[in-house]
Amino acid sequence: MSKNYLQELNPVQRQAVTTTDGPVLVVAGPGSGKTRVLTYRIAHIIEQGVPPWEILALTFTNKAAREMKERIAKVVGERANQVWAGTFHAIFARILRVEASKIGYPSNFTIYDTEDTKSVLSAIIKELNLDKNVYNVNAIRGRISSAKSNLITPKLYADNAELMEQDRLAKRGMTAQIYEKYTARCKRSGAMDFDDLLYRLYELLQKNPDNVLDKYRQKFKYILVDEFQDTNYLQYAIVKKLVQYNGSPRNICVVGDDAQSIYAFRGATIQNILDFENDFKPYGFQVFKLEQNYRSTEHIVQAANEVITYNKKQIQKKIWSDKGVGQKIKVIKAVNDNEEGKRVVDTIVEQKNRFHLSNSDIAILYRTNAQSRIFEEYLRRYNVPYRVYGGLSFYQRKEVKDLIAYLRLTINQLDEEALRRIINYPKRAIGNSTVEKISALAGQMNLPMWQCLGQANLGGRTQNAINDFVAMIQDFAAKAQTNNAYDIAAYIAKRSGLLDELKNDTTIEGAGRLENVNALLDGIQAFVEDDVIAVAGTDQADNSLAAYLQNIALITDLDQNETTADFVTLMSVHSAKGLEFRSVFVAGLEENLFPSFLSMDAPEQLDEERRLFYVAITRAEEYLTLSYATSRYRYGQLRSGEPSRFLAEIPHQHVESTAAVRSLSKVQEETPVAKVMGHFKRAMNEPTIRIDPATFKPSPLEEIKVGAAVLHLKFGAGKVLSMEGNKDNPVATIHFKDLDEPKKRIMLKYAKLQVVEV
C-alpha cells in the first residue's frame, strides 16, 4: 500500500506513528489528532510486515474500536479486521471464553450487568437479615467494585484492618461477608460482572504463567492503549504483565492526556499516566506531545491552557491552535436557575439564526443530570428539538431484559439471575415461595439452582410446571447449537409465551413494550447479517447466540447514544468526553455545584473537577458560553450561590462583556465579566494571595482574635472584625477583601481559618 498516510501528519504526529519499537507515551491534548495517530501507528506497524493478529489495541468504547478499524482499513485494507482491537472488557472476555476453565468457570459464562449485580447483592443482604437502608446496595456494589479494581480478594478484604474499620464506622460491618457470598454466588452461577472481566483475567494470568500468560505475551508483539489516563490500577497491572517478555517490556504505546482524567469515581487513576515514564524509563522510553489543537479557536484553547495550570500534578504542555482567534467566550449571569435556562435557550436560538448552526451543532453540558429539567422546559417552549443523554438504556427496559434472560439461560443454565427472572414469566404456576425453596435447597447443597429444580420434590401442578420449564429450556439450548442468534431468539420469543403475553396487553404502553421486543429481535437480525468480523484475530464471523449476548453485554453508554438526527444535545460533562460541537454551553458554574461540594475538602478532588471543566470547554469548536445563577432551587429551597472559581481562572482577555442581566425588577448595566467575578480576583491580574490547599493548615480556635489576618480556602484573605457567642461556639464577623459582599458571619468551629502574619 502507499505510504501517503504519513504525509497527512504533522512532524510530531509522524514521529509518534513511525517510532514503533519500545515503550512510547503519546501525550495528546484535546483535538490534537489522537485517533489519527493511534490508527496510523497500527497501520504503519502492519505495513512494516507485522501480522495484524499480533497487535492488541485496547479502547474504552466499542465505538472507538470500530472507528479505529475503519481508519486502519483505509490504509491496509481487510487486514485491519484481524487486529485485536476492542474495549478492555470485550478483549478480556474473549480471552476468558477460551481459558475460563483454568480458573473454574464455564466457557459460556454469563456477564452480569449492574442490575444483575444489584439483584444478587439485594438477595444476599435479605438472606443475612441486614437493614437494606444501612446496607445500601449501591454503596455495597461500589465497595466490592473498588476492592476488585485494587486486586483485593474477599479474604484480603476481611484481613485488612483499615477497610474493616471504615466499614465499622459506616455501620456496615458485614460488608466483607457480603463480598465473600457475592463472589461465591457468581462462581456458582457461572457468571462474571464487569469488574470480574478484569479481576478474573488477572487471576488467570497470575495462576498460569507458563501455559496462558506466556501464550498471550508471545501472541501480542505490540500493545497500544487509548485514553490511558482513564485506566485503573488493575487495567495497568494487566497491561504491564502482557507487555513483559524475558524480564523486560517490549513494544507498548499508550495515548492519553492527564488533563482529561475525569473518572476517579469509577476507579480510574491519573497516577498511571504520571508514573508511566518512571515505570518504563530504563527500557528506552520516549514521549511525544501532540500540542496542536485542530478543533477549537484560539480564545478557547488559551482559556483552557490557563485554567489547567492551577492543577499541581500534570505533564507540562502548551496547546496551541491555528484556527484563528475566533469568538471570545460569552458568560451569562442569571439571577436564578430558571432565568439561566431561558437565557441559554435564547442564546441558542440567536446562534442558530446568526451563525446558521444546526441543532446537532449545539450541546448543553452540566455537572449533574438533574440540571437538564429547566433547559428541557425552555427548549420545548421554543420548539427546539433536543435529546438528553443518560436516560433509561434500551437494554434496561423490563421487556427487553425478560427476553434477554431467556437467551442467557439458554446459553448458560447456571445463570441464577436469569432463572429467577423468567421461571414464572409468563406465569406458569411457579410462585415466589417455590423459587425461595429451590434457592434455599441450592444454598444447602452448594449447587446451582438449575440442578436443584428436579430435586425439590414439590409435587403436583407446581412440579409439572417446573418439569415443563426445564424441558423448554433444554429444547432452546439444543436448537441454539445449530441455529444462528436471530433464528433461535425468534423461536424463544414465541415458544416461551413472551410475545403472546405482550400482544395480549392492548394498552399504549403494552404496544410500546411489544415494539421494544421486536426492536430487539431486529437488532439480533442485524447482528447476524452484519459482515463485520466478530472473532478478533480470525477470518471467521460468529453469529451465534453466545456471541450476540457477549456483544450487547459490553455495549457502553456512548455506543447506545449514537444518532444522526438534528437534536440539541443535553448531557453531563462526563458523558461529553471525546465529543465535539460547534457551540457548547457549560451551565451551572457555581461554587458547590461546579466544582461539586463533594470536592471542597480534598485538593486532589478539586483538581479532578478542574480537569472536568477543562474537558467541558475543550468540546467547543467555535462558540463557548458559560452560565451561572446567583440563586438556585436545591432540595426545595432557593439558595444563593457564588460564581465558580473556574470562571475567575479564565484570563479576562478571552471573555467578552456579559450581556445585560435581566431580573424580575430591573435591568443591570452591561458589566465586564472580570467585575462580575471580582470577588475572586478582580481583573485576573491584580496581585492576590494564592492559597495552596495542599499546605493550608487551619489554626486553633484560640489563635483567632479580633484584628487577626486570616485565610479561608474559599473566601480568600480576610480580617476578623468582631467576635461573639460563647467560648465553645464562637461566631466571628470577618471582612474578606475579595468578595462582592465582604462581611461574613462564620461559626469558627466549622470555618477552617488560618491565621497569617501581616
Side-chain angles (χ1 to χ4, degrees):
M1 295 288 289
S2 167
K3 297 292 192 299
N4 286 343
Y5 62 93
L6 293 178
Q7 306 309 313
E8 299 176 26
L9 305 171
N10 67 35
V12 181
Q13 290 175 331
R14 193 176 302 119
Q15 279 185 289
V17 164
T18 56
T19 307
T20 56
D21 293 342
V24 170
L25 168 62
V26 179
V27 181
S32 63
K34 167 183 73 73
T35 305
R36 172 177 288 187
V37 166
L38 195 59
T39 53
Y40 282 12
R41 181 183 171 89
I42 294 170
H44 189 70
I45 292 169
I46 295 171
E47 287 287 85
Q48 303 309 299
V50 175
W53 53 85
E54 293 185 353
I55 301 169
L56 171 63
L58 297 167
T59 68
F60 277 85
T61 67
N62 295 302
K63 179 183 173 186
R66 256 194 327 270
E67 184 181 346
M68 190 183 293
K69 283 193 174 184
E70 287 166 4
R71 291 200 190 188
I72 298 167
K74 288 178 181 176
V75 180
V76 302
E78 288 300 312
R79 288 179 292 171
N81 286 324
Q82 296 178 302
V83 174
W84 278 66
T87 64
F88 279 89
H89 292 88
I91 293 292
F92 294 172
R94 284 174 181 157
I95 294 173
L96 285 164
R97 291 283 178 210
V98 176
E99 314 288 354
S101 62
K102 296 181 177 65
I103 52 170
Y105 275 86
S107 62
N108 59 350
F109 60 85
T110 297
I111 299 174
Y112 276 175
D113 65 14
T114 300
E115 293 306 311
D116 295 322
T117 295
K118 286 162 68 171
S119 178
V120 175
L121 288 172
S122 295
I124 293 170
I125 289 165
K126 184 178 179 182
E127 287 167 16
L128 293 173
N129 294 317
L130 300 173
D131 186 336
K132 66 180 181 181
N133 294 317
V134 175
Y135 285 85
N136 177 278
V137 71
N138 285 318
I140 299 295
R141 184 178 69 86
R143 194 77 169 151
I144 292 172
S145 175
S146 177
K148 288 181 181 177
S149 295
N150 288 283
L151 290 174
I152 299 171
T153 64
K155 184 176 188 312
L156 288 173
Y157 190 105
D159 291 342
N160 187 302
E162 184 179 349
L163 292 175
M164 297 303 287
E165 178 63 12
Q166 290 170 0
D167 288 341
R168 188 188 66 77
L169 292 173
K171 297 185 175 157
R172 292 195 282 261
M174 293 286 286
T175 300
Q177 289 90 324
I178 296 172
Y179 182 16
E180 184 179 10
K181 282 184 173 292
Y182 173 72
T183 301
R185 189 75 53 91
C186 287
K187 195 87 179 268
R188 192 175 82 190
S189 297
M192 296 190 197
D193 62 25
F194 287 158
D195 295 309
D196 282 327
L197 296 175
L198 310 179
Y199 179 72
R200 295 298 182 188
L201 183 78
Y202 187 90
E203 177 190 3
L204 172 72
L205 300 178
Q206 184 77 359
K207 289 183 174 178
N208 300 274
D210 298 325
N211 60 340
V212 178
L213 178 56
D214 197 51
K215 169 184 170 181
Y216 288 98
R217 279 176 172 171
Q218 291 185 48
K219 181 176 183 61
F220 301 129
K221 303 293 196 305
Y222 291 83
I223 296 179
L224 302 94
V225 184
D226 190 17
E227 302 287 9
F228 187 65
Q229 76 282 346
D230 295 335
T231 54
N232 62 27
Y233 171 81
L234 180 50
Q235 286 163 327
Y236 189 27
I238 292 169
V239 168
K240 282 193 285 190
K241 264 190 177 301
L242 289 172
V243 83
Q244 295 285 336
Y245 193 72
N246 291 335
S248 64
R250 291 172 302 165
N251 309 314
I252 177 171
C253 173
V254 301
V255 182
D257 181 8
D258 57 295
Q260 297 185 67
S261 177
I262 60 172
Y263 294 123
F265 68 97
R266 291 184 188 166
T269 171
I270 190 176
Q271 210 56 46
N272 286 350
I273 195 167
L274 297 176
D275 288 346
F276 187 81
E277 179 175 354
N278 289 333
D279 292 343
F280 289 94
K281 212 165 194 173
Y283 308 106
F285 166 86
Q286 295 186 71
V287 61
F288 301 100
K289 296 181 181 180
L290 309 183
E291 296 176 306
Q292 182 174 358
N293 180 297
Y294 292 93
R295 175 188 300 153
S296 308
T297 52
E298 196 172 318
H299 278 307
I300 296 168
V301 168
Q302 294 307 325
N305 271 340
E306 185 63 27
V307 165
I308 206 63
T309 61
Y310 285 75
N311 276 10
K312 283 201 156 192
K313 286 185 175 180
Q314 59 178 293
I315 298 169
Q316 294 300 322
K317 57 187 172 298
K318 196 73 173 174
I319 308 303
W320 59 278
S321 170
D322 63 0
K323 287 191 68 176
V325 175
Q327 300 271 334
K328 286 190 174 184
I329 299 165
K330 182 182 179 70
V331 175
I332 293 174
K333 174 185 178 182
V335 295
N336 55 43
D337 47 350
N338 194 58
E339 190 197 34
E340 180 189 34
K342 181 180 187 305
R343 295 194 60 206
V344 163
V345 177
D346 280 339
T347 307
I348 286 174
V349 173
E350 179 193 342
Q351 286 186 350
K352 287 178 63 179
N353 293 330
R354 186 175 168 195
F355 303 121
H356 308 292
L357 300 184
S358 302
N359 292 317
S360 57
D361 290 329
I362 302 167
I364 303 174
L365 309 182
Y366 33 73
R367 181 64 183 82
T368 65
N369 285 318
Q371 289 170 254
S372 75
R373 181 187 59 80
I374 286 173
F375 300 111
E376 290 186 67
E377 287 180 10
Y378 280 100
L379 287 165
R380 280 198 295 269
R381 287 186 199 179
Y382 284 61
N383 291 318
V384 177
Y386 68 90
R387 186 173 185 200
V388 181
Y389 281 43
L392 184 65
S393 155
F394 175 79
Y395 293 99
Q396 293 302 325
R397 292 169 182 161
K398 178 188 180 299
E399 59 277 9
V400 173
K401 285 185 74 78
D402 288 338
L403 178 51
I404 288 175
Y406 271 104
L407 305 184
R408 278 172 36 177
L409 195 63
T410 296
I411 295 302
N412 174 19
Q413 285 85 57
L414 302 182
D415 187 342
E416 288 190 12
E417 282 308 296
L419 175 62
R420 284 174 177 272
R421 186 176 189 96
I422 48 96
I423 192 171
N424 197 40
Y425 181 78
K427 289 189 182 301
R428 49 176 66 90
I430 307 172
N432 287 338
S433 60
T434 299
V435 175
E436 291 310 315
K437 284 178 186 174
I438 297 167
S439 177
L441 180 63
Q444 291 165 16
M445 301 177 69
N446 196 26
L447 289 173
M449 281 179 66
W450 176 262
Q451 293 181 16
C452 296
L453 290 178
Q455 300 180 35
N457 297 320
L458 296 164
R461 184 181 168 208
T462 300
Q463 191 62 53
N464 289 335
I466 289 174
N467 294 342
D468 289 345
F469 175 74
V470 169
M472 180 178 68
I473 298 299
Q474 288 172 337
D475 173 48
F476 295 164
K479 285 184 168 58
Q481 299 295 317
T482 54
N483 285 273
N484 66 40
Y486 174 75
D487 290 342
I488 184 60
Y491 177 75
I492 290 170
K494 187 172 176 58
R495 169 80 172 78
S496 66
L498 192 146
L499 278 181
D500 287 339
E501 178 83 4
L502 293 172
K503 285 175 183 174
N504 289 334
D505 183 351
T506 56
T507 64
I508 293 174
E509 294 80 8
R513 286 190 280 271
L514 180 60
E515 192 175 301
N516 286 335
V517 167
N518 284 322
L520 177 65
L521 292 171
D522 290 342
I524 301 174
Q525 175 78 305
F527 169 82
V528 169
E529 293 177 356
D530 197 343
D531 59 0
V532 173
I533 300 298
V535 182
T538 77
D539 289 318
Q540 301 172 350
D542 185 351
N543 57 19
S544 68
L545 184 57
Y548 170 75
L549 289 172
Q550 176 172 309
N551 183 61
I552 62 164
L554 298 169
I555 287 175
T556 67
D557 292 344
L558 284 177
D559 294 316
Q560 294 167 21
N561 286 320
E562 293 179 68
T563 179
T564 55
D566 190 28
F567 295 105
V568 171
T569 299
L570 277 66
M571 66 198 321
S572 71
V573 183
H574 281 103
S575 298
K577 188 164 170 292
L579 304 179
E580 56 189 40
F581 303 88
R582 286 183 67 190
S583 176
V584 169
F585 292 77
V586 186
L589 280 161
E590 297 132 43
E591 290 290 286
N592 295 314
L593 181 56
F594 198 179
S596 162
F597 72 95
L598 295 171
S599 68
M600 292 304 185
D601 293 330
E604 66 277 5
Q605 290 178 13
L606 191 55
D607 280 0
E608 174 129 344
E609 290 286 306
R610 188 173 284 107
R611 292 194 294 270
L612 193 59
F613 181 60
Y614 178 88
V615 165
I617 62 180
T618 55
R619 299 310 92 200
E621 297 174 358
E622 299 174 60
Y623 312 104
L624 176 60
T625 307
L626 311 175
S627 68
Y628 69 100
T630 55
S631 61
R632 181 177 298 274
Y633 274 97
R634 303 190 77 177
Y635 311 110
Q637 293 185 329
L638 189 65
R639 300 171 187 264
S640 61
E642 297 166 351
S644 168
R645 67 191 69 197
F646 301 152
L647 290 169
E649 292 169 359
I650 299 175
H652 65 285
Q653 64 264 30
H654 299 304
V655 183
E656 72 175 50
S657 297
T658 55
V661 179
R662 188 177 298 277
S663 67
L664 295 175
S665 58
K666 62 180 180 179
V667 179
Q668 298 177 350
E669 291 183 357
E670 188 161 286
T671 311
V673 69
K675 183 176 178 184
V676 171
M677 293 176 285
H679 75 298
F680 277 117
K681 289 207 260 173
R682 301 299 171 195
M684 293 298 302
N685 45 14
E686 282 186 19
T688 187
I689 295 177
R690 180 94 172 265
I691 304 171
D692 182 355
T695 58
F696 181 84
K697 292 182 180 177
S699 300
L701 290 186
E702 56 269 19
E703 292 184 16
I704 300 170
K705 305 184 186 310
V706 174
V710 294
L711 290 180
H712 186 278
L713 270 176
K714 185 160 69 169
F715 303 141
K719 183 177 181 180
V720 180
L721 301 180
S722 63
M723 303 272 286
E724 56 189 278
N726 58 50
K727 65 176 183 177
D728 295 324
N729 194 18
V731 177
T733 300
I734 304 174
H735 182 280
F736 292 100
K737 67 184 183 70
D738 289 331
L739 299 187
D740 285 341
E741 297 177 4
K743 284 188 182 179
K744 288 200 173 288
R745 293 179 76 250
I746 295 180
M747 296 176 69
L748 293 184
K749 69 179 181 180
Y750 302 118
K752 295 185 180 177
L753 296 170
Q754 181 179 342
V755 176
V756 293
E757 298 293 330
V758 181

PDB file of all heavy atoms in Angstrom, residues 455-469:
ATOM      1  N   GLN A 455     -35.072 -31.643  42.206  1.00  0.00           N
ATOM      2  CA  GLN A 455     -34.832 -32.309  43.491  1.00  0.00           C
ATOM      3  C   GLN A 455     -35.647 -31.727  44.639  1.00  0.00           C
ATOM      4  O   GLN A 455     -35.519 -32.160  45.778  1.00  0.00           O
ATOM      5  CB  GLN A 455     -33.334 -32.219  43.842  1.00  0.00           C
ATOM      6  CG  GLN A 455     -32.432 -32.877  42.795  1.00  0.00           C
ATOM      7  CD  GLN A 455     -30.965 -32.765  43.177  1.00  0.00           C
ATOM      8  OE1 GLN A 455     -30.626 -32.829  44.352  1.00  0.00           O
ATOM      9  NE2 GLN A 455     -30.101 -32.610  42.181  1.00  0.00           N
ATOM     10  N   ALA A 456     -36.462 -30.707  44.334  1.00  0.00           N
ATOM     11  CA  ALA A 456     -37.195 -30.052  45.425  1.00  0.00           C
ATOM     12  C   ALA A 456     -38.408 -30.854  45.878  1.00  0.00           C
ATOM     13  O   ALA A 456     -38.962 -30.596  46.945  1.00  0.00           O
ATOM     14  CB  ALA A 456     -37.633 -28.653  44.968  1.00  0.00           C
ATOM     15  N   ASN A 457     -38.826 -31.844  45.055  1.00  0.00           N
ATOM     16  CA  ASN A 457     -39.962 -32.719  45.403  1.00  0.00           C
ATOM     17  C   ASN A 457     -41.204 -31.919  45.794  1.00  0.00           C
ATOM     18  O   ASN A 457     -41.794 -32.124  46.858  1.00  0.00           O
ATOM     19  CB  ASN A 457     -39.576 -33.672  46.552  1.00  0.00           C
ATOM     20  CG  ASN A 457     -38.454 -34.607  46.134  1.00  0.00           C
ATOM     21  OD1 ASN A 457     -38.442 -35.097  45.007  1.00  0.00           O
ATOM     22  ND2 ASN A 457     -37.516 -34.827  47.033  1.00  0.00           N
ATOM     23  N   LEU A 458     -41.575 -30.987  44.923  1.00  0.00           N
ATOM     24  CA  LEU A 458     -42.703 -30.110  45.237  1.00  0.00           C
ATOM     25  C   LEU A 458     -44.043 -30.773  44.925  1.00  0.00           C
ATOM     26  O   LEU A 458     -45.059 -30.432  45.499  1.00  0.00           O
ATOM     27  CB  LEU A 458     -42.572 -28.796  44.459  1.00  0.00           C
ATOM     28  CG  LEU A 458     -41.327 -27.980  44.855  1.00  0.00           C
ATOM     29  CD1 LEU A 458     -41.039 -26.919  43.822  1.00  0.00           C
ATOM     30  CD2 LEU A 458     -41.519 -27.351  46.228  1.00  0.00           C
ATOM     31  N   GLY A 459     -44.029 -31.721  43.982  1.00  0.00           N
ATOM     32  CA  GLY A 459     -45.230 -32.489  43.683  1.00  0.00           C
ATOM     33  C   GLY A 459     -46.313 -31.704  42.962  1.00  0.00           C
ATOM     34  O   GLY A 459     -46.287 -30.474  42.903  1.00  0.00           O
ATOM     35  N   GLY A 460     -47.277 -32.458  42.416  1.00  0.00           N
ATOM     36  CA  GLY A 460     -48.473 -31.870  41.836  1.00  0.00           C
ATOM     37  C   GLY A 460     -48.211 -30.915  40.691  1.00  0.00           C
ATOM     38  O   GLY A 460     -47.277 -31.045  39.914  1.00  0.00           O
ATOM     39  N   ARG A 461     -49.095 -29.902  40.607  1.00  0.00           N
ATOM     40  CA  ARG A 461     -49.097 -28.950  39.497  1.00  0.00           C
ATOM     41  C   ARG A 461     -47.788 -28.166  39.415  1.00  0.00           C
ATOM     42  O   ARG A 461     -47.266 -27.920  38.334  1.00  0.00           O
ATOM     43  CB  ARG A 461     -50.281 -28.003  39.705  1.00  0.00           C
ATOM     44  CG  ARG A 461     -50.475 -27.010  38.585  1.00  0.00           C
ATOM     45  CD  ARG A 461     -51.651 -26.097  38.901  1.00  0.00           C
ATOM     46  NE  ARG A 461     -51.682 -24.973  37.977  1.00  0.00           N
ATOM     47  CZ  ARG A 461     -52.193 -23.796  38.269  1.00  0.00           C
ATOM     48  NH1 ARG A 461     -52.711 -23.577  39.465  1.00  0.00           N
ATOM     49  NH2 ARG A 461     -52.210 -22.827  37.374  1.00  0.00           N
ATOM     50  N   THR A 462     -47.245 -27.788  40.561  1.00  0.00           N
ATOM     51  CA  THR A 462     -46.020 -26.986  40.573  1.00  0.00           C
ATOM     52  C   THR A 462     -44.854 -27.758  39.982  1.00  0.00           C
ATOM     53  O   THR A 462     -44.095 -27.237  39.156  1.00  0.00           O
ATOM     54  CB  THR A 462     -45.672 -26.548  42.016  1.00  0.00           C
ATOM     55  OG1 THR A 462     -46.748 -25.765  42.526  1.00  0.00           O
ATOM     56  CG2 THR A 462     -44.398 -25.726  42.039  1.00  0.00           C
ATOM     57  N   GLN A 463     -44.709 -29.056  40.394  1.00  0.00           N
ATOM     58  CA  GLN A 463     -43.599 -29.859  39.875  1.00  0.00           C
ATOM     59  C   GLN A 463     -43.747 -30.084  38.371  1.00  0.00           C
ATOM     60  O   GLN A 463     -42.762 -30.054  37.629  1.00  0.00           O
ATOM     61  CB  GLN A 463     -43.525 -31.200  40.599  1.00  0.00           C
ATOM     62  CG  GLN A 463     -42.246 -31.987  40.304  1.00  0.00           C
ATOM     63  CD  GLN A 463     -40.979 -31.241  40.758  1.00  0.00           C
ATOM     64  OE1 GLN A 463     -40.872 -30.833  41.908  1.00  0.00           O
ATOM     65  NE2 GLN A 463     -40.044 -31.042  39.840  1.00  0.00           N
ATOM     66  N   ASN A 464     -44.980 -30.255  37.921  1.00  0.00           N
ATOM     67  CA  ASN A 464     -45.204 -30.415  36.484  1.00  0.00           C
ATOM     68  C   ASN A 464     -44.795 -29.156  35.721  1.00  0.00           C
ATOM     69  O   ASN A 464     -44.205 -29.228  34.635  1.00  0.00           O
ATOM     70  CB  ASN A 464     -46.682 -30.733  36.200  1.00  0.00           C
ATOM     71  CG  ASN A 464     -47.060 -32.139  36.652  1.00  0.00           C
ATOM     72  OD1 ASN A 464     -46.201 -33.020  36.734  1.00  0.00           O
ATOM     73  ND2 ASN A 464     -48.343 -32.351  36.942  1.00  0.00           N
ATOM     74  N   ALA A 465     -45.125 -27.992  36.308  1.00  0.00           N
ATOM     75  CA  ALA A 465     -44.767 -26.717  35.671  1.00  0.00           C
ATOM     76  C   ALA A 465     -43.247 -26.568  35.589  1.00  0.00           C
ATOM     77  O   ALA A 465     -42.705 -26.109  34.576  1.00  0.00           O
ATOM     78  CB  ALA A 465     -45.371 -25.550  36.450  1.00  0.00           C
ATOM     79  N   ILE A 466     -42.566 -26.983  36.672  1.00  0.00           N
ATOM     80  CA  ILE A 466     -41.103 -26.911  36.679  1.00  0.00           C
ATOM     81  C   ILE A 466     -40.517 -27.850  35.630  1.00  0.00           C
ATOM     82  O   ILE A 466     -39.603 -27.477  34.887  1.00  0.00           O
ATOM     83  CB  ILE A 466     -40.551 -27.251  38.087  1.00  0.00           C
ATOM     84  CG1 ILE A 466     -40.866 -26.110  39.060  1.00  0.00           C
ATOM     85  CG2 ILE A 466     -39.047 -27.502  38.033  1.00  0.00           C
ATOM     86  CD1 ILE A 466     -40.509 -26.400  40.491  1.00  0.00           C
ATOM     87  N   ASN A 467     -41.067 -29.060  35.552  1.00  0.00           N
ATOM     88  CA  ASN A 467     -40.561 -30.025  34.566  1.00  0.00           C
ATOM     89  C   ASN A 467     -40.746 -29.510  33.139  1.00  0.00           C
ATOM     90  O   ASN A 467     -39.869 -29.665  32.287  1.00  0.00           O
ATOM     91  CB  ASN A 467     -41.274 -31.374  34.729  1.00  0.00           C
ATOM     92  CG  ASN A 467     -40.924 -32.037  36.062  1.00  0.00           C
ATOM     93  OD1 ASN A 467     -39.923 -31.685  36.698  1.00  0.00           O
ATOM     94  ND2 ASN A 467     -41.749 -32.981  36.493  1.00  0.00           N
ATOM     95  N   ASP A 468     -41.910 -28.890  32.886  1.00  0.00           N
ATOM     96  CA  ASP A 468     -42.175 -28.327  31.552  1.00  0.00           C
ATOM     97  C   ASP A 468     -41.188 -27.196  31.242  1.00  0.00           C
ATOM     98  O   ASP A 468     -40.711 -27.069  30.108  1.00  0.00           O
ATOM     99  CB  ASP A 468     -43.607 -27.791  31.466  1.00  0.00           C
ATOM    100  CG  ASP A 468     -44.643 -28.916  31.458  1.00  0.00           C
ATOM    101  OD1 ASP A 468     -44.251 -30.082  31.225  1.00  0.00           O
ATOM    102  OD2 ASP A 468     -45.832 -28.624  31.709  1.00  0.00           O
ATOM    103  N   PHE A 469     -40.919 -26.376  32.255  1.00  0.00           N
ATOM    104  CA  PHE A 469     -39.988 -25.256  32.079  1.00  0.00           C
ATOM    105  C   PHE A 469     -38.584 -25.772  31.746  1.00  0.00           C
ATOM    106  O   PHE A 469     -37.927 -25.281  30.813  1.00  0.00           O
ATOM    107  CB  PHE A 469     -39.955 -24.413  33.355  1.00  0.00           C
ATOM    108  CG  PHE A 469     -38.939 -23.299  33.333  1.00  0.00           C
ATOM    109  CD1 PHE A 469     -39.149 -22.158  32.572  1.00  0.00           C
ATOM    110  CD2 PHE A 469     -37.763 -23.397  34.074  1.00  0.00           C
ATOM    111  CE1 PHE A 469     -38.209 -21.131  32.554  1.00  0.00           C
ATOM    112  CE2 PHE A 469     -36.822 -22.391  34.056  1.00  0.00           C
ATOM    113  CZ  PHE A 469     -37.045 -21.254  33.295  1.00  0.00           C
TER     114      PHE A 469
END
